[in-house]
Amino acid sequence: TDEELNQLAMQRRRLRNLSLDVSILGLGTSSFGNEYGPTDEVESIETIREALRRGINIIDTAPWYGSGKAEEIVGRALEGIPRESYILNTKVGRYEKNIIRMFDFRAETVLRSLDESLRKLGVPYIDVIQVHDPEFCPDIDIIINETLPALQRAKEAGKVKYIGMTGYPLAVQKEIIEKSSVKIDTSLSYCHYTLHDRSLVTSDYMTFMKSRGIDVLNASPISMGLLSSQGPQTWHPAPEFLRSVCQEALQYCQDQGVDLARMALLFTLENEDIPTTFVSTPSRDMMLQNIACAEQGATPQEKAIIDHLFHHIFKQHGDLGWEGLEVLNYWTNLGKALTLQQLYPSHANISQ
C-alpha cells in the first residue's frame, strides 16, 4: 500500500544546500524512455513504485528521455503517492531526436517545457529544474541571459523549488555558475565518478561546488552501459581505446565470476562525499539488485576485485572519457541537416 512507501531503510546522505537527506541510490529514468531498448510500461511503473517502497526517495527525469515518454511513465507511477514523500527533478533544453529540434534554450520554450513536464508528471511543483546539456548551446550567454532568468521566474511562481545544472563537460557547468546572477542550487554530473573516470574528485570540481554552496548529484556509475556485460548501445560516444580498457575489465570480472556492472556500482557508492547516484533500469529485478548493492555494500572478495580493477586496469590510464566528441558530432550533423534543408529540400526528408 502507499502507506508502506519509503518505510524500508536505505542509507541516506545530506544535501547540505537543499537541507535534504537523500537515498545514496537515486532513480534515473532514461531507460524508461527506451533509450536502452524496448521496455514494458507496466513493469516500468511497478519498478518506480517498488523503488520508492524500498527507500529510494529521489527521482531524476527529463523530456529528452523518450521524447516525453519517461515523464509520462513516472507520472503514472506517482499517482496516489504523497508529493512530500519524494524528491522529483526534471530538466529543460533538450527535447527531440530530430537534430534541428533537439535543443532549445530560449526562455519561452523552457517555460512551456516546464509546464508540460508538470502536466505529464501530474505534480504541482518540481524540486529541482535542471538545464539539460548546455554544452550544446551555441552561446553560453543564452543560458545566462534567457534560460536561467526564466527558471528563476518559475521558481518565484512556485513551480520549482530549486534550479540546477547538468551536462557532461564539468568546465561548462563551472563557467555558467561563475557567470550566473541566478542562484544555482545543484549540479548533476554523469559518468565522471566511475572506474574509468574519477574527474569529479580528481579535478577541483567538488571543491568549487562546495565553495559556492552547490550540492553535487551523480549519475551513470555504469557509464551508460559501458561498464556492463551487455556493453554500450550503438549511440554511445566512448572512443575505441576506452572501450578496449572496459573490455579488459569485463574479461577479468568474467574470469572471477562476478558482474562488472555490480562492481562499478559498488565502487561509486563507496564514496561518502557523493550524496546520491542515479541509476536507471526498467527491470524490477535489476532495480532490486541495485538496491541490494546499496544496502549491503561490497563483500571482502568484491572489495579485492574492485581494488584490482581500479589499480591494475583503469588507474594507469588516468581519467578516460569523451569530452568534446559529442558536441563536435552534433555541430557536424546539424550543419549537414541545415544545409540539406536549405539547399536540397528534396533530399532532406530522406536524411532526417
Side-chain angles (χ1 to χ4, degrees):
T1 64
D2 291 340
E3 288 73 33
E4 293 172 305
L5 296 171
N6 269 330
Q7 293 308 301
L8 287 157
M10 180 186 291
Q11 188 187 340
R12 295 198 173 180
R13 292 176 186 152
R14 189 79 170 161
L15 295 178
R16 298 194 184 283
N17 175 43
L18 271 53
S19 298
L20 293 170
D21 292 318
V22 291
S23 50
I24 61 169
L25 195 65
L27 188 68
T29 62
S30 57
S31 61
F32 299 120
N34 297 338
E35 301 296 313
Y36 296 87
T39 58
D40 178 286
E41 284 191 25
V42 175
E43 184 179 11
S44 294
I45 290 165
E46 181 48 38
T47 299
I48 295 165
R49 294 182 72 87
E50 184 68 13
L52 291 170
R53 271 194 291 271
R54 296 282 180 144
I56 288 178
N57 73 336
I58 184 165
I59 301 169
D60 181 85
T61 190
W64 164 246
Y65 303 151
S67 302
K69 185 172 188 278
E71 285 187 327
E72 285 176 3
I73 287 171
V74 171
R76 285 166 60 194
L78 293 175
E79 282 176 20
I81 298 172
R83 178 63 187 90
E84 65 279 4
S85 67
Y86 57 84
I87 299 152
L88 180 61
N89 304 346
T90 191
K91 310 182 186 79
V92 292
R94 187 168 192 169
Y95 303 108
E96 297 183 35
K97 290 285 186 275
N98 180 303
I99 198 161
I100 295 170
R101 296 193 295 273
M102 191 176 285
F103 294 95
D104 190 338
F105 296 98
R106 291 174 297 174
E108 65 271 23
T109 311
V110 301
L111 290 174
R112 194 166 60 242
S113 168
L114 172 57
D115 285 341
E116 185 72 1
S117 291
L118 287 166
R119 186 186 66 77
K120 284 180 175 170
L121 292 163
V123 292
Y125 66 90
I126 300 295
D127 287 287
V128 185
I129 190 69
Q130 301 160 106
V131 181
H132 200 172
D133 295 342
E135 65 266 30
F136 293 94
C137 189
D139 189 337
I140 290 298
D141 286 345
I142 296 166
I143 308 289
I144 304 298
N145 300 323
E146 278 208 53
T147 316
L148 289 169
L151 296 180
Q152 179 63 29
R153 293 200 297 278
K155 183 179 178 180
E156 287 160 8
K159 292 180 178 182
V160 304
K161 286 191 173 184
Y162 304 102
I163 295 167
M165 296 301 308
T166 183
Y168 186 67
L170 301 179
V172 173
Q173 287 202 49
K174 281 177 69 178
E175 184 187 352
I176 292 168
I177 288 161
E178 283 174 329
K179 290 181 176 178
S180 176
S181 56
V182 171
K183 177 170 164 45
I184 309 293
D185 300 291
T186 65
S187 167
L188 171 61
S189 162
Y190 67 95
C191 301
H192 283 306
Y193 192 78
T194 66
L195 282 164
H196 65 77
D197 182 351
R198 292 166 61 250
S199 49
L200 205 59
V201 296
T202 55
S203 70
D204 68 347
Y205 175 81
M206 295 280 276
T207 311
F208 171 83
M209 293 300 168
K210 193 173 183 181
S211 74
R212 297 276 173 147
I214 294 169
D215 289 318
V216 174
L217 310 172
N218 184 45
S220 296
I222 297 154
S223 218
M224 303 189 300
L226 197 60
L227 294 164
S228 71
S229 52
Q230 295 82 19
Q233 297 288 313
T234 52
W235 49 258
H236 202 292
E240 202 48 52
F241 178 70
L242 171 53
R243 288 168 187 259
S244 68
V245 178
C246 292
Q247 270 303 118
E248 185 186 342
L250 175 62
Q251 187 59 58
Y252 174 75
C253 285
Q254 287 174 340
D255 292 346
Q256 298 298 313
V258 297
D259 178 43
L260 173 59
R262 180 180 167 88
M263 299 304 104
L265 178 57
L266 286 166
F267 172 81
T268 301
L269 292 176
E270 272 178 9
N271 190 325
E272 292 182 6
D273 292 330
I274 296 171
T276 191
T277 294
F278 293 107
V279 181
S280 184
T281 173
S283 156
R284 185 175 177 276
D285 289 345
M286 189 62 70
M287 191 269 299
L288 290 173
Q289 287 176 39
N290 292 339
I291 288 172
C293 266
E295 288 176 344
Q296 297 159 10
T299 65
Q301 184 216 7
E302 287 172 333
K303 282 181 178 172
I305 290 168
I306 292 165
D307 194 64
H308 180 91
L309 285 168
F310 178 62
H311 286 102
H312 298 283
I313 295 178
F314 289 107
K315 192 179 180 183
Q316 61 189 310
H317 303 298
D319 292 320
L320 294 176
W322 50 85
E323 197 156 310
L325 295 179
E326 285 178 291
V327 176
L328 179 64
N329 199 31
Y330 167 74
W331 288 112
T332 303
N333 291 334
L334 181 61
K336 286 180 183 175
L338 289 171
T339 304
L340 279 167
Q341 191 182 68
Q342 294 290 317
L343 301 181
Y344 311 100
S346 61
H347 293 266
N349 288 336
I350 300 165
S351 302
Q352 285 303 311

